[in-house]
Amino acid sequence: MADSAHRGLRLTEAIGRLKVARESRTGYARTKFRLWIDADHDDCDTRKEVLLAEATKKPRQCRNCALTGGTRRSYYDGKTLNQRPPARHRPRLSPR
């Protein structure tokens, strides 16, 4: 449970209190994080629902909730990010 002294903080203030450390991906495997569920059964998993909700420019929503384009503002560093999926997750334009 959250420390009672930190309840009621704005997100940006809470993030500002996080300890900054060097990134390490040792032991990271995307398959370990199967938490993206589609609770409302609209074909958008949790991750995509958040991207849609936090977009400053809404992405295009294609079949099966594939998202392309759009932008969002990073709470961590204030930068504007273009929402573009990694190459391995982009749909192919022609069959193999």
Side-chain angles (χ1 to χ4, degrees):
M1 183 169 222
D3 178 22
S4 61
H6 294 254
R7 287 189 189 146
L9 291 178
R10 295 186 54 81
L11 179 59
T12 52
E13 185 180 349
I15 288 172
R17 293 183 181 196
L18 291 175
K19 180 181 175 186
V20 177
R22 180 177 288 268
E23 178 179 352
S24 171
R25 292 183 178 235
T26 303
Y28 172 81
R30 186 178 187 148
T31 56
K32 291 181 181 179
F33 298 91
R34 298 188 182 265
L35 303 173
W36 307 123
I37 62 168
D38 180 12
D40 59 5
H41 308 290
D42 66 351
D43 291 329
C44 292
D45 62 28
T46 308
R47 179 183 171 277
K48 292 174 184 171
E49 297 274 6
V50 171
L51 289 173
L52 287 165
E54 294 184 352
T56 54
K57 178 183 174 193
K58 294 287 182 193
R60 189 171 128 221
Q61 188 174 341
C62 304
R63 193 173 67 186
N64 297 326
C65 199
L67 304 178
T68 59
T71 58
R72 69 179 180 89
R73 184 178 169 275
S74 169
Y75 286 112
Y76 297 98
D77 57 17
K79 293 182 181 176
T80 297
L81 306 168
N82 292 319
Q83 294 178 184
R84 186 172 177 205
R88 69 177 188 271
H89 295 290
R90 285 188 212 126
R92 298 195 185 279
L93 298 178
S94 61
R96 287 184 168 194

